[in-house]
């Protein structure tokens, strides 16, 4: 006898089992469909990632390999670096370590560089990041490095700091052969500017013009004084014949000495970038000042005070810091000049595209390369284009500027930019202080050198790291400047400066304006040796072998 409830219960359980199996089957199908979709998406993602890595990473690697330099001590000898970087310059050379601002920052950290970078400290990195919107040149309280009315205005521009310099691995092709044939015309002996650059340099102001200016001031008459020429105490002089000049008046005699003896040193180095200058004494009874006694009183210039009168230079515009000296890994050597000459120093779209095609394109068979006629190599090499030559002429003048500013320890030019970088990350892209370019000749004019040789020497302990930073990165020089330095080392630079001072000033001037102190002369001698030591280090690293 069957129990109806038992039968009904069994049927119900069977129905529930069928329903459960059906639900489980649908869940499994959905899971499998989801897994198939996930697998397909994973394959597509992997393919996309692989394509991106295969295309862009090699290109990034080329750019980074060309811009990175192995960190090492600011040593006396060349430091080792990755093979990619060595190849980007020359297979036979290793590159030395070029000091950066990071070297100064790392002083005090474990393993940080010592020596001439040991006396400078930087503020925290997070403060630097928050300073991008600060004023263009913010100086700390009590700092000598003030912008001042004499400084060139600093516009707000985009930062170029850290921008890598594009370079490609060395390839022994027609381009390399062309450079080998033309290098002597652009760079000689691996470290000197070549004939084409020297010929294109602007004439500037030679010693004859400087002597003519001193003679003019002995016979000229000032008609009036006008406000101008920078700081409040300075005046623009207008002479009876319409000639104009800038007169520098200071309460402290050492700033007048610094301006005058820096000008004398420039003459001994045969630099033509300093405007003719001469010393004078404020004497209302003298012919020079007799017609402007009221203006002298209005300017509050005291009698018997010395001034430096500098010839007025027109058609000037602010001069910026060249691209090779802006990034943290700044340097200028024969291979950097080669990149400029071949147009490889700017990450232009065409260069990037060519690099990508060269890297991804099919390699030419060795036999085809061997059998290809050396047409380009046999072609007569072309001189640098006008645009390239203009850049090289600017850099040649900068090589003199770096040497000159290091010798006099000038605080008020590029050191100002380097020091203020810790507050304003854009400042290396701003115009350099107290540097101008003559628009009609492309001459760089080295203005306002009053901190040189005295005031700058007193602050060497604090700023020497910044003074040496650009010099340590410079390995291309003008041969005439190096020869002048060698002559000053072999002779007595102090005696030669004193002889110029005696010859170009009167007894009345020498009664109130002392000669260059012996302590400053000794420091100058040491700095001449330091520059010549850098030349020798560059010669050992980059000279032709």
């Amino acid at each position: 006898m069957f129990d109806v409830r038992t039968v009904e219960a069994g049927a119900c359980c069977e129905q529930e089992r069928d329903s459960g199996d059906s639900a489980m089957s649908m869940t499994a199908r959905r899971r499998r469909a989801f897994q198939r979709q996930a697998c397909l998406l994973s394959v597509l993602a992997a393919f996309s990632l692989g394509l991106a890595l295969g295309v862009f990473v090699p290109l990034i690697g080329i750019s980074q390999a060309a811009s990175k330099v192995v960190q090492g001590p600011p040593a006396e000898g060349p430091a080792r670096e990755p093979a990619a970087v060595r190849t980007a310059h020359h297979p036979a050379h290793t590159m030395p370590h070029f000091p950066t601002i990071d070297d100064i920052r790392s002083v005090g950290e474990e393993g940080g560089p010592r020596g001439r970078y040991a006396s400078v400290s930087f503020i925290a990195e997070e403060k630097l990041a928050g300073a991008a919107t600060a004023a263009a040149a913010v100086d700390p309280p009590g700092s000598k490095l003030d912008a001042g009315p004499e400084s060139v205005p600093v516009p707000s521009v985009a930062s170029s700091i850290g921008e890598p310099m594009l370079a490609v691995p060395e390839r022994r092709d027609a381009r390399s052969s062309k450079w080998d044939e033309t290098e002597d015309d652009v760079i000689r002996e691996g470290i000197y500017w070549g004939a084409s650059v020297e010929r294109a340099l602007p004439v500037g102001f030679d010693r004859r013009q400087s002597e003519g200016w001193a003679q003019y001031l002995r016979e000229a008459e000032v008609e009036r004084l006008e406000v101008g020429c920078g700081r409040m105490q300075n005046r623009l002089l207008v002479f009876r014949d319409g000639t104009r000049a800038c007169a520098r008046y200071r309460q402290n005699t050492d700033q007048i000495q610094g301006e005058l003896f820096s000008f004398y040193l420039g003459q001994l180095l045969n630099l033509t970038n300093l405007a003719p200058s001469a010393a004078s004494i404020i004497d209302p009874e003298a012919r020079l000042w007799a017609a402007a006694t009221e203006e002298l009183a209005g300017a509050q210039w005291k009698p018997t005070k010395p001034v430096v009168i500098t010839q007025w230079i027109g058609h000037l515009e602010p001069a910026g810091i060249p691209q090779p000296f802006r990034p943290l890994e700044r340097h200028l050597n024969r291979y950097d000049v080669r990149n400029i000459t071949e147009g490889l120093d700017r990450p232009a779209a065409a260069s990037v595209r060519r690099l990508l095609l060269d890297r991804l394109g099919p390699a030419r068979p060795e036999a085809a390369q061997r059998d290809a006629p050396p047409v380009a190599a046999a072609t007569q090499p072309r001189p640098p284009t006008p645009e390239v030559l203009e850049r090289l002429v600017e850099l040649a003048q900068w090589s003199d500027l770096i040497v000159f500013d290091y010798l006099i320890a000038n605080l008020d030019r590029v050191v100002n930019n380097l020091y203020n970088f810790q507050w304003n990350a854009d400042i290396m892209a701003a115009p350099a202080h107290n540097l101008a370019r003559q628009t009609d000749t492309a001459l760089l004019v080295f203005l306002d050198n009053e901190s040189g040789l005295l005031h700058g020497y007193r602050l060497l302990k604090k700023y020497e790291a910044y003074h040496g930073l650009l010099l340590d990165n410079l390995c291309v020089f003008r041969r005439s400047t190096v020869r002048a330095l060698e002559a000053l080392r072999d002779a007595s630079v102090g005696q030669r400066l004193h002889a110029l001072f005696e010859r170009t000033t009167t007894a009345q001037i020498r009664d109130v304006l002392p000669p260059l102190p012996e302590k400053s002369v000794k420091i100058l001698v040491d700095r001449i040796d330091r520059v010549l030591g850098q030349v020798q280090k560059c010669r050992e690293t980059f000279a032709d072998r």
Side-chain angles (χ1 to χ4, degrees), residues 49 178 256 355 389 536:
L49 180 61
K178 182 168 137 185
I256 299 298
L355 283 174
L389 189 59
Q536 180 59 29

Side-chain angles (χ1 to χ4, degrees), residues 202-530:
V203 175
F205 311 100
D206 57 21
R207 189 169 300 183
R208 179 182 55 82
Q209 290 173 283
S210 299
E211 293 174 353
W213 177 248
Q215 178 63 32
Y216 171 81
L217 291 179
R218 285 193 284 269
E219 302 171 356
E221 298 179 42
V222 175
E223 184 177 75
R224 64 183 184 275
L225 280 67
E226 297 179 355
V227 175
C229 295
R231 298 188 183 181
M232 288 178 57
Q233 294 175 309
N234 293 352
R235 287 295 183 270
L236 174 66
L237 306 184
V238 181
F239 296 89
R240 288 195 180 278
D241 62 358
T243 301
R244 293 185 294 174
C246 280
R248 182 182 306 275
Y249 179 93
R250 293 289 180 274
Q251 295 293 336
N252 297 326
T253 304
D254 64 350
Q255 292 174 314
I256 299 298
Q257 288 175 280
E259 184 72 28
L260 187 64
F261 281 96
S262 294
F263 172 71
Y264 289 156
L265 180 62
Q267 286 194 303
L268 294 180
L269 295 174
N270 299 315
L271 302 183
T272 62
N273 304 85
L274 288 86
S277 301
S280 181
I281 292 292
I282 303 302
D283 182 4
E285 297 181 359
R287 177 179 179 180
L288 181 63
W289 306 104
T293 53
E294 292 184 6
E295 284 90 347
L296 290 175
Q300 298 183 353
W301 284 9
K302 298 178 181 178
T304 73
K305 279 285 188 177
V307 293
V308 173
I309 304 176
T310 301
Q311 182 178 337
W312 174 268
I313 307 299
H315 308 289
L316 295 182
E317 64 180 4
I321 300 174
Q323 184 59 41
F325 298 123
R326 290 186 192 177
L328 292 179
E329 294 179 353
R330 60 177 64 82
H331 46 77
L332 182 67
N333 56 59
R334 63 184 294 185
Y335 304 118
D336 299 320
V337 173
R338 173 177 186 165
N339 288 338
I340 293 172
T341 304
E342 296 185 350
L344 300 175
D345 66 315
R346 293 175 176 174
S351 299
V352 173
R353 193 160 49 246
R354 179 178 52 77
L355 283 174
L356 184 59
L357 292 175
D358 287 347
R359 190 166 182 87
L360 299 180
R364 293 176 59 191
E366 292 186 6
Q369 293 183 13
R370 237 184 353 258
D371 299 336
V375 177
T379 305
Q380 184 70 19
R382 293 177 297 175
T385 64
E387 180 187 8
V388 169
L389 189 59
E390 181 181 355
R391 296 184 63 195
L392 298 180
V393 164
E394 180 188 25
L395 290 172
Q397 294 180 83
W398 263 82
S399 67
D400 274 347
L401 173 65
I402 291 171
V403 170
F404 178 68
D405 276 0
Y406 180 81
L407 292 176
I408 67 174
N410 191 350
L411 296 169
D412 294 335
R413 202 157 14 240
V414 187
V415 167
N416 188 297
N417 293 62
L418 291 172
Y419 186 84
N420 283 296
F421 172 70
Q422 54 188 313
W423 291 280
N424 179 10
D426 293 340
I427 197 153
M428 294 305 290
H433 281 209
N434 300 314
L435 181 68
R437 179 188 294 104
Q438 208 168 18
T439 56
D440 52 347
T441 65
L443 175 75
L444 292 182
V445 183
F446 306 165
L447 303 169
D448 187 9
N449 304 297
E450 65 178 25
S451 69
L453 299 172
L454 288 102
H455 184 75
Y457 282 179
R458 284 197 290 269
L459 297 175
L460 281 179
K461 184 176 180 181
K462 184 174 183 180
Y463 296 110
E464 175 61 14
Y466 302 98
H467 290 304
L469 196 57
L470 286 178
L471 180 66
D472 290 337
N473 292 310
L474 178 67
C475 272
V476 187
F477 308 89
R478 292 190 64 197
R479 188 194 296 268
S480 60
T481 304
V482 173
R483 285 176 175 170
L485 285 170
E486 291 169 345
L488 290 178
R489 179 187 59 187
D490 298 336
S492 172
V493 62
Q495 290 180 4
R496 295 188 64 180
L497 287 172
H498 186 72
L500 269 176
F501 179 59
E502 290 278 340
R503 183 164 57 85
T504 59
T505 57
T506 64
Q508 184 185 18
I509 294 174
R510 293 191 293 272
D511 285 342
V512 297
L513 190 63
L516 192 65
E518 188 61 31
K519 182 178 180 180
S520 292
V521 173
K522 290 179 180 179
I523 296 174
L524 176 59
V525 170
D526 289 341
R527 296 178 86 76
I528 290 174
D529 288 339
R530 166 77 177 83

